[in-house]
Amino acid sequence: MGRIPCCEKDNVKRGQWTPEEDNKLSSYIAQHGTRNWRLIPKNAGLQRCGKSCRLRWTNYLRPDLKHGQFSDAEEQTIVKLHSVVGNRWSLIAAQLPGRTDNDVKNHWNTKLKKKLSGMGIDPVTHKPFSHLMAEIATTLAPPNEANLAEAALGCFKDEMLHLLTKKRMDFQFQHPNTTPGNSTTTYINSKQEEKDDTIEKIKISLSRAMQEPDCFSFASMSGFQYALSTFGNEGSGSPWSQSMCTGSACTAADHQGHLHDKLEEENGEESEGGKELRNGSHIFNSDSILWDLPSDDLMNPIV
DNA sequence: AACCCTAGCAACCGCGCGCAC
DNA sequence: GGTGCGCGCGGTTGCTAGGGT
C-alpha cells in the first residue's frame, strides 16, 4: 500500500509564489500559528499543497530569516560542521541563526564546494586531495593488463560515441587518408588536424578492437594515453572501468608505475598519445604521485 | 541584438521517522 | 504491534538573471 499524497495534485497551484499568496500565508500564520500544515492552505484560502506552504514559510517568509550573503564566519561554521556531520543540513542550519537548511544546502552546493575544491580540499571528506590520492594509491592493487584493457575499452566506447556524435559533420566525411590541401579540409587549422588525426587513429583502433577482441592489444592503440588522459570522466562497466575514468585510479595506476610502463613497453616507442599526455599539465605532483591531465581538464587547481 | 551557457536560488519530490489511535 | 497521518529532511529539478560569444 503506497503512501497517500499529501494533497490533491489537480487542485493545487505549483511554482513561484505571488506576493498575494505570501501575504495570505503570512497573515494566517500570524493569527493561527503553524499547527496543521494540511489545513493551513484551505483555511488561508490558498490553492497550495500544505507541504508547499510549509516550505515557503520555513525557507522564505519566517520573520527571523536572514536573506543576505553568507558571512565568512558563517561559511567557516558550515565547513566545520559539514566536516563533522556531513550533509545534515538541518543540523548545520540550526547553528546558524536566521539560515535555513535549504539556504545552507544551496550555498554549499553552489559556492563552498567549489571553494574547497579550489583550495585542494575534497569537499566530501574534507581531506586534502594529496592525502586522498596517497590513500587510493596504497589501497588499490595494481590492475592486470586484461582489466586495464576491459576498463579502458568500456570507458572509451562511451567517450568515443560522445565525441563522434558531437563532432562537426565534416568529421564524418573526412577520410583518414585525406590529402592535405583537399578542398574539404583546408579550413581546418593544424592543431585541429592533429587532434582529428589522433581521434581517427583511436576510432580505427577501437573498431578493430571491437571486431577482433581476442587479438586486441589495448596498449598498441595509438592515442590511448591521449584518450585516457582526456576523457577521464564517464566510464561504465566494471568497477575498474569506473575508477579508471575518474582520474583517481589513473593516478593510482601511475603511482604504481604499471600503466605507463606497461603501455610504453608494449608500444616500443612513445606514442603520439603519450606525447599529448606529457604535454598535459602536471597539476598534481606530490612525492611519487603524478596526476596527468590536459590543461583543459583543470577543473580544480590543486595546491 | 540574439542566442547560448552557467550560476544561483526557489520549489518540488520521495522517503523515513515519530506520534496518535 | 499495526496502521495512518503529519512533518522534516536531503536530493533533485526547474526557472531566471547575468555574462559571454
Side-chain angles (χ1 to χ4, degrees):
Chain A
M1 179 180 139
R3 185 174 166 67
I4 59 156
C6 65
C7 50
E8 298 279 337
K9 300 219 178 215
D10 294 341
N11 298 330
V12 296
K13 194 176 163 223
R14 294 169 62 186
Q16 291 288 81
W17 279 68
T18 63
E20 297 98 84
E21 287 178 313
D22 283 345
N23 281 336
K24 278 184 183 176
L25 182 61
S26 298
S27 52
Y28 180 86
I29 289 174
Q31 286 175 20
H32 303 95
T34 60
R35 249 181 308 168
N36 188 335
W37 285 111
R38 195 174 277 236
L39 293 177
I40 285 175
K42 204 183 281 180
N43 295 343
L46 289 162
Q47 282 196 312
R48 290 276 181 177
C49 168
K51 208 169 177 178
S52 178
C53 292
R54 180 174 56 80
L55 225 56
R56 183 65 178 169
W57 173 257
T58 52
N59 287 339
Y60 196 81
L61 296 175
R62 252 169 51 198
D64 58 326
L65 289 182
K66 273 190 217 169
H67 288 291
Q69 293 265 320
F70 279 76
S71 67
D72 285 348
E74 284 176 316
E75 289 191 344
Q76 281 173 23
T77 306
I78 294 170
V79 172
K80 258 187 227 165
L81 290 174
H82 187 270
S83 71
V84 178
V85 302
N87 292 2
R88 307 286 302 279
W89 304 120
S90 52
L91 267 181
I92 297 172
Q95 305 304 314
L96 297 167
R99 302 294 188 185
T100 68
D101 54 348
N102 210 36
D103 275 342
V104 173
K105 180 173 59 181
N106 282 335
H107 191 65
W108 173 263
N109 285 331
T110 56
K111 302 262 181 65
L112 293 179
K113 242 158 91 170
K114 290 172 197 164
K115 221 177 200 178
L116 285 182
S117 293
M119 292 162 67
I121 296 168
D122 176 34
V124 178
T125 62
H126 293 263
K127 290 179 181 176
F129 284 131
S130 57
H131 185 227
L132 291 173
M133 292 301 107
E135 273 185 5
I136 290 165
T138 52
T139 305
L140 293 180
N144 63 35
E145 193 185 353
N147 283 345
L148 272 179
E150 184 211 343
L153 188 58
C155 173
F156 226 160
K157 279 190 289 188
D158 288 351
E159 293 298 348
M160 287 311 296
L161 276 173
H162 176 65
L163 186 69
L164 292 172
T165 47
K166 86 172 178 191
K167 227 163 140 52
R168 291 193 316 269
M169 288 297 285
D170 64 71
F171 180 70
Q172 293 178 30
F173 302 113
Q174 193 185 338
H175 192 274
N177 295 331
T178 303
T179 52
N182 180 315
S183 62
T184 62
T185 56
T186 42
Y187 63 90
I188 300 173
N189 65 33
S190 60
K191 202 172 175 184
Q192 185 63 47
E193 276 178 0
E194 204 177 301
K195 204 168 181 182
D196 284 356
D197 188 40
T198 307
I199 292 166
E200 192 60 36
K201 285 175 185 170
I202 296 169
K203 196 179 153 193
I204 292 165
S205 303
L206 182 60
S207 60
R208 200 187 305 153
M210 288 179 171
Q211 284 161 12
E212 310 162 18
D214 289 340
C215 49
F216 172 57
S217 167
F218 194 83
S220 67
M221 220 163 110
S222 180
F224 162 61
Q225 288 172 320
Y226 167 80
L228 195 61
S229 61
T230 307
F231 309 133
N233 274 321
E234 301 170 71
S236 62
S238 70
W240 253 104
S241 74
Q242 298 269 358
S243 53
M244 280 284 294
C245 299
T246 62
S248 56
C250 292
T251 306
D254 287 350
H255 180 54
Q256 301 289 346
H258 288 272
L259 175 58
H260 289 165
D261 290 351
K262 198 76 195 168
L263 288 165
E264 284 178 16
E265 263 172 44
E266 298 219 3
N267 262 348
E269 62 182 312
E270 191 175 46
S271 68
E272 200 177 327
K275 280 177 200 160
E276 292 255 15
L277 184 66
R278 272 161 187 75
N279 288 339
S281 308
H282 293 251
I283 61 168
F284 181 65
N285 191 344
S286 165
D287 297 325
S288 57
I289 303 167
L290 292 171
W291 191 354
D292 293 322
L293 284 173
S295 51
D296 287 349
D297 284 357
L298 290 179
M299 299 292 288
N300 306 313
I302 309 292
V303 281

PDB file of all heavy atoms in Angstrom, chain A residues 284-300:
ATOM      1  N   PHE A 284      49.216  17.924 -10.326  1.00  0.00           N
ATOM      2  CA  PHE A 284      49.424  17.369  -9.007  1.00  0.00           C
ATOM      3  C   PHE A 284      50.706  16.580  -9.008  1.00  0.00           C
ATOM      4  O   PHE A 284      50.882  15.657  -9.761  1.00  0.00           O
ATOM      5  CB  PHE A 284      48.247  16.486  -8.639  1.00  0.00           C
ATOM      6  CG  PHE A 284      48.379  15.896  -7.272  1.00  0.00           C
ATOM      7  CD1 PHE A 284      48.367  16.735  -6.177  1.00  0.00           C
ATOM      8  CD2 PHE A 284      48.550  14.548  -7.092  1.00  0.00           C
ATOM      9  CE1 PHE A 284      48.500  16.204  -4.921  1.00  0.00           C
ATOM     10  CE2 PHE A 284      48.680  14.024  -5.835  1.00  0.00           C
ATOM     11  CZ  PHE A 284      48.658  14.848  -4.739  1.00  0.00           C
ATOM     12  N   ASN A 285      51.608  16.945  -8.161  1.00  0.00           N
ATOM     13  CA  ASN A 285      52.874  16.240  -8.135  1.00  0.00           C
ATOM     14  C   ASN A 285      53.401  16.215  -6.719  1.00  0.00           C
ATOM     15  O   ASN A 285      54.129  17.067  -6.284  1.00  0.00           O
ATOM     16  CB  ASN A 285      53.873  16.934  -9.078  1.00  0.00           C
ATOM     17  CG  ASN A 285      55.099  16.079  -9.270  1.00  0.00           C
ATOM     18  OD1 ASN A 285      55.340  15.145  -8.498  1.00  0.00           O
ATOM     19  ND2 ASN A 285      55.866  16.386 -10.286  1.00  0.00           N
ATOM     20  N   SER A 286      53.003  15.190  -6.005  1.00  0.00           N
ATOM     21  CA  SER A 286      53.421  15.113  -4.620  1.00  0.00           C
ATOM     22  C   SER A 286      54.198  13.824  -4.418  1.00  0.00           C
ATOM     23  O   SER A 286      53.688  12.754  -4.620  1.00  0.00           O
ATOM     24  CB  SER A 286      52.184  15.137  -3.739  1.00  0.00           C
ATOM     25  OG  SER A 286      52.491  14.723  -2.450  1.00  0.00           O
ATOM     26  N   ASP A 287      55.410  13.947  -4.014  1.00  0.00           N
ATOM     27  CA  ASP A 287      56.297  12.804  -3.870  1.00  0.00           C
ATOM     28  C   ASP A 287      56.312  11.994  -5.164  1.00  0.00           C
ATOM     29  O   ASP A 287      56.696  12.483  -6.201  1.00  0.00           O
ATOM     30  CB  ASP A 287      55.891  11.941  -2.675  1.00  0.00           C
ATOM     31  CG  ASP A 287      56.018  12.721  -1.375  1.00  0.00           C
ATOM     32  OD1 ASP A 287      56.955  13.539  -1.269  1.00  0.00           O
ATOM     33  OD2 ASP A 287      55.170  12.556  -0.507  1.00  0.00           O
ATOM     34  N   SER A 288      55.818  10.761  -5.083  1.00  0.00           N
ATOM     35  CA  SER A 288      55.912   9.936  -6.279  1.00  0.00           C
ATOM     36  C   SER A 288      54.613   9.884  -7.063  1.00  0.00           C
ATOM     37  O   SER A 288      54.479   9.147  -8.005  1.00  0.00           O
ATOM     38  CB  SER A 288      56.304   8.518  -5.867  1.00  0.00           C
ATOM     39  OG  SER A 288      55.352   8.037  -4.955  1.00  0.00           O
ATOM     40  N   ILE A 289      53.636  10.658  -6.620  1.00  0.00           N
ATOM     41  CA  ILE A 289      52.339  10.578  -7.282  1.00  0.00           C
ATOM     42  C   ILE A 289      52.238  11.613  -8.386  1.00  0.00           C
ATOM     43  O   ILE A 289      52.552  12.775  -8.199  1.00  0.00           O
ATOM     44  CB  ILE A 289      51.205  10.810  -6.276  1.00  0.00           C
ATOM     45  CG1 ILE A 289      51.329   9.794  -5.159  1.00  0.00           C
ATOM     46  CG2 ILE A 289      49.863  10.716  -6.939  1.00  0.00           C
ATOM     47  CD1 ILE A 289      50.461  10.123  -3.975  1.00  0.00           C
ATOM     48  N   LEU A 290      51.756  11.166  -9.530  1.00  0.00           N
ATOM     49  CA  LEU A 290      51.563  12.091 -10.632  1.00  0.00           C
ATOM     50  C   LEU A 290      50.135  12.015 -11.098  1.00  0.00           C
ATOM     51  O   LEU A 290      49.566  10.954 -11.220  1.00  0.00           O
ATOM     52  CB  LEU A 290      52.463  11.717 -11.814  1.00  0.00           C
ATOM     53  CG  LEU A 290      53.940  11.903 -11.604  1.00  0.00           C
ATOM     54  CD1 LEU A 290      54.682  11.290 -12.768  1.00  0.00           C
ATOM     55  CD2 LEU A 290      54.281  13.364 -11.453  1.00  0.00           C
ATOM     56  N   TRP A 291      49.567  13.138 -11.386  1.00  0.00           N
ATOM     57  CA  TRP A 291      48.224  13.152 -11.937  1.00  0.00           C
ATOM     58  C   TRP A 291      48.287  13.918 -13.242  1.00  0.00           C
ATOM     59  O   TRP A 291      48.362  15.118 -13.255  1.00  0.00           O
ATOM     60  CB  TRP A 291      47.265  13.819 -10.951  1.00  0.00           C
ATOM     61  CG  TRP A 291      45.848  13.644 -11.323  1.00  0.00           C
ATOM     62  CD1 TRP A 291      45.356  13.069 -12.456  1.00  0.00           C
ATOM     63  CD2 TRP A 291      44.726  14.023 -10.554  1.00  0.00           C
ATOM     64  NE1 TRP A 291      44.000  13.063 -12.430  1.00  0.00           N
ATOM     65  CE2 TRP A 291      43.590  13.641 -11.290  1.00  0.00           C
ATOM     66  CE3 TRP A 291      44.546  14.644  -9.319  1.00  0.00           C
ATOM     67  CZ2 TRP A 291      42.305  13.867 -10.826  1.00  0.00           C
ATOM     68  CZ3 TRP A 291      43.279  14.867  -8.865  1.00  0.00           C
ATOM     69  CH2 TRP A 291      42.175  14.479  -9.614  1.00  0.00           C
ATOM     70  N   ASP A 292      48.245  13.212 -14.309  1.00  0.00           N
ATOM     71  CA  ASP A 292      48.396  13.831 -15.614  1.00  0.00           C
ATOM     72  C   ASP A 292      47.053  14.152 -16.216  1.00  0.00           C
ATOM     73  O   ASP A 292      46.249  13.274 -16.446  1.00  0.00           O
ATOM     74  CB  ASP A 292      49.139  12.888 -16.554  1.00  0.00           C
ATOM     75  CG  ASP A 292      50.550  12.695 -16.104  1.00  0.00           C
ATOM     76  OD1 ASP A 292      51.156  13.661 -15.629  1.00  0.00           O
ATOM     77  OD2 ASP A 292      51.030  11.574 -16.204  1.00  0.00           O
ATOM     78  N   LEU A 293      46.847  15.397 -16.458  1.00  0.00           N
ATOM     79  CA  LEU A 293      45.614  15.802 -17.127  1.00  0.00           C
ATOM     80  C   LEU A 293      45.949  16.921 -18.078  1.00  0.00           C
ATOM     81  O   LEU A 293      46.800  17.749 -17.801  1.00  0.00           O
ATOM     82  CB  LEU A 293      44.592  16.320 -16.108  1.00  0.00           C
ATOM     83  CG  LEU A 293      43.857  15.290 -15.263  1.00  0.00           C
ATOM     84  CD1 LEU A 293      43.041  16.008 -14.217  1.00  0.00           C
ATOM     85  CD2 LEU A 293      42.977  14.414 -16.114  1.00  0.00           C
ATOM     86  N   PRO A 294      45.252  16.943 -19.214  1.00  0.00           N
ATOM     87  CA  PRO A 294      45.448  18.088 -20.086  1.00  0.00           C
ATOM     88  C   PRO A 294      44.936  19.340 -19.405  1.00  0.00           C
ATOM     89  O   PRO A 294      44.047  19.253 -18.563  1.00  0.00           O
ATOM     90  CB  PRO A 294      44.600  17.764 -21.318  1.00  0.00           C
ATOM     91  CG  PRO A 294      43.906  16.506 -21.059  1.00  0.00           C
ATOM     92  CD  PRO A 294      44.260  16.024 -19.698  1.00  0.00           C
ATOM     93  N   SER A 295      45.472  20.480 -19.806  1.00  0.00           N
ATOM     94  CA  SER A 295      45.121  21.708 -19.088  1.00  0.00           C
ATOM     95  C   SER A 295      43.635  22.007 -19.150  1.00  0.00           C
ATOM     96  O   SER A 295      43.094  22.629 -18.264  1.00  0.00           O
ATOM     97  CB  SER A 295      45.915  22.868 -19.653  1.00  0.00           C
ATOM     98  OG  SER A 295      45.772  22.884 -21.045  1.00  0.00           O
ATOM     99  N   ASP A 296      42.951  21.536 -20.210  1.00  0.00           N
ATOM    100  CA  ASP A 296      41.513  21.779 -20.313  1.00  0.00           C
ATOM    101  C   ASP A 296      40.750  21.148 -19.168  1.00  0.00           C
ATOM    102  O   ASP A 296      39.668  21.562 -18.817  1.00  0.00           O
ATOM    103  CB  ASP A 296      40.960  21.199 -21.621  1.00  0.00           C
ATOM    104  CG  ASP A 296      41.388  22.028 -22.800  1.00  0.00           C
ATOM    105  OD1 ASP A 296      41.924  23.135 -22.571  1.00  0.00           O
ATOM    106  OD2 ASP A 296      41.202  21.580 -23.918  1.00  0.00           O
ATOM    107  N   ASP A 297      41.336  20.111 -18.614  1.00  0.00           N
ATOM    108  CA  ASP A 297      40.635  19.395 -17.562  1.00  0.00           C
ATOM    109  C   ASP A 297      40.915  19.954 -16.183  1.00  0.00           C
ATOM    110  O   ASP A 297      40.530  19.381 -15.181  1.00  0.00           O
ATOM    111  CB  ASP A 297      41.037  17.911 -17.567  1.00  0.00           C
ATOM    112  CG  ASP A 297      40.350  17.193 -18.709  1.00  0.00           C
ATOM    113  OD1 ASP A 297      39.559  17.840 -19.413  1.00  0.00           O
ATOM    114  OD2 ASP A 297      40.600  15.996 -18.883  1.00  0.00           O
ATOM    115  N   LEU A 298      41.565  21.073 -16.147  1.00  0.00           N
ATOM    116  CA  LEU A 298      41.933  21.618 -14.839  1.00  0.00           C
ATOM    117  C   LEU A 298      40.750  22.281 -14.183  1.00  0.00           C
ATOM    118  O   LEU A 298      40.652  23.492 -14.104  1.00  0.00           O
ATOM    119  CB  LEU A 298      43.071  22.626 -14.996  1.00  0.00           C
ATOM    120  CG  LEU A 298      44.388  21.995 -15.361  1.00  0.00           C
ATOM    121  CD1 LEU A 298      45.431  23.078 -15.513  1.00  0.00           C
ATOM    122  CD2 LEU A 298      44.818  20.991 -14.327  1.00  0.00           C
ATOM    123  N   MET A 299      39.872  21.431 -13.718  1.00  0.00           N
ATOM    124  CA  MET A 299      38.704  21.962 -13.032  1.00  0.00           C
ATOM    125  C   MET A 299      39.122  22.562 -11.712  1.00  0.00           C
ATOM    126  O   MET A 299      38.642  23.596 -11.287  1.00  0.00           O
ATOM    127  CB  MET A 299      37.680  20.859 -12.769  1.00  0.00           C
ATOM    128  CG  MET A 299      37.149  20.212 -14.005  1.00  0.00           C
ATOM    129  SD  MET A 299      36.148  21.340 -14.917  1.00  0.00           S
ATOM    130  CE  MET A 299      34.718  21.400 -13.836  1.00  0.00           C
ATOM    131  N   ASN A 300      39.999  21.876 -11.046  1.00  0.00           N
ATOM    132  CA  ASN A 300      40.332  22.274  -9.697  1.00  0.00           C
ATOM    133  C   ASN A 300      41.829  22.476  -9.552  1.00  0.00           C
ATOM    134  O   ASN A 300      42.568  21.519  -9.523  1.00  0.00           O
ATOM    135  CB  ASN A 300      39.900  21.185  -8.716  1.00  0.00           C
ATOM    136  CG  ASN A 300      38.447  20.851  -8.908  1.00  0.00           C
ATOM    137  OD1 ASN A 300      37.628  21.738  -8.997  1.00  0.00           O
ATOM    138  ND2 ASN A 300      38.142  19.577  -8.994  1.00  0.00           N
TER     139      ASN A 300
END
